[in-house]
Amino acid sequence: MNLKDYLLLIEEISSIDLEANSIADSRRILAELNERERILNELRKSIKSDIKHVKRDFLDKRRKINQDYANGRSPGIVSRVRGKSKVKELKKLEVEHVTTVQSYQEVKYMIDDLLLQVMDAKKPLNNYIKTRLGGF
C-alpha cells in the first residue's frame, strides 16, 4: 500500500462523532470504535511490513550496485562522462531510502497515535454505559 492510501484511510478513520445521548448511542459508537481499532491494528501490521519491504529492497539494490562495480560492469562511457560513480549511486540510493522510510515511519506514528486516541475514547463510553445500567 502506498503512503497516500494510508493517509486517506487514517483521515477516514479519524473522523467520528463521539457524542452519546443514550445507551444505544454509546453502544453504537463503541462498536464503531472497536471496528476502527481493528482496522488500525491491521494498518499497523501492514505498514510495518511495508517498512521491512522498503528496507529489504534498499539492501537488494545496494548489493546489486556493489556487485556491478565489483564485477567490472561499471557504467558505460556516457555515464562516466556525466560523473556516474559507485559512490554517487550509493549515496543517492541511501538518500531515497532514508526519505522513504521516514515517510512510512511518520504514518506509523500517526496510526499509533490514533490507536491511543481510540482506546482513550472508549473509556468514557464504557463508564457511561456502566453508570446508566447501574453497574459499578
Side-chain angles (χ1 to χ4, degrees), residues 8-117:
L8 286 173
L9 285 170
I10 289 171
E11 186 177 327
E12 287 176 24
I13 291 171
S14 64
S15 61
I16 185 172
D17 181 21
L18 296 176
E19 189 174 324
N21 297 325
S22 67
I23 294 174
D25 284 345
S26 296
R27 287 184 174 172
R28 179 189 51 78
I29 293 170
L30 199 54
E32 280 185 48
L33 288 173
N34 286 332
E35 177 62 19
R36 290 170 190 227
E37 184 177 12
R38 184 189 63 74
I39 293 169
L40 285 168
N41 282 322
E42 288 176 11
L43 286 176
R44 191 167 188 273
K45 287 178 187 175
S46 177
I47 200 156
K48 280 182 171 182
S49 174
D50 287 348
I51 290 170
K52 285 179 184 177
H53 177 73
V54 167
K55 289 179 179 181
R56 193 173 339 129
D57 189 45
F58 163 73
L59 293 174
D60 290 343
K61 287 179 181 177
R62 188 175 71 181
R63 185 175 15 88
K64 184 183 180 317
I65 290 170
N66 285 327
Q67 284 176 346
D68 285 349
Y69 279 91
N71 293 335
R73 285 183 270 154
S74 60
I77 192 76
V78 175
S79 296
R80 286 185 186 170
V81 171
R82 292 185 183 154
K84 189 173 184 180
S85 70
K86 177 182 173 181
V87 174
K88 285 183 181 181
E89 284 187 56
L90 289 173
K91 189 167 195 133
K92 180 183 174 190
L93 183 65
E94 177 73 24
V95 169
E96 290 173 3
H97 169 68
V98 168
T99 303
T100 304
V101 169
Q102 284 177 345
S103 299
Y104 277 94
Q105 288 287 356
E106 288 174 13
V107 172
K108 183 183 169 292
Y109 294 140
M110 292 168 76
I111 290 170
D112 290 343
D113 184 53
L114 200 50
L115 266 169
L116 289 174
Q117 290 177 27

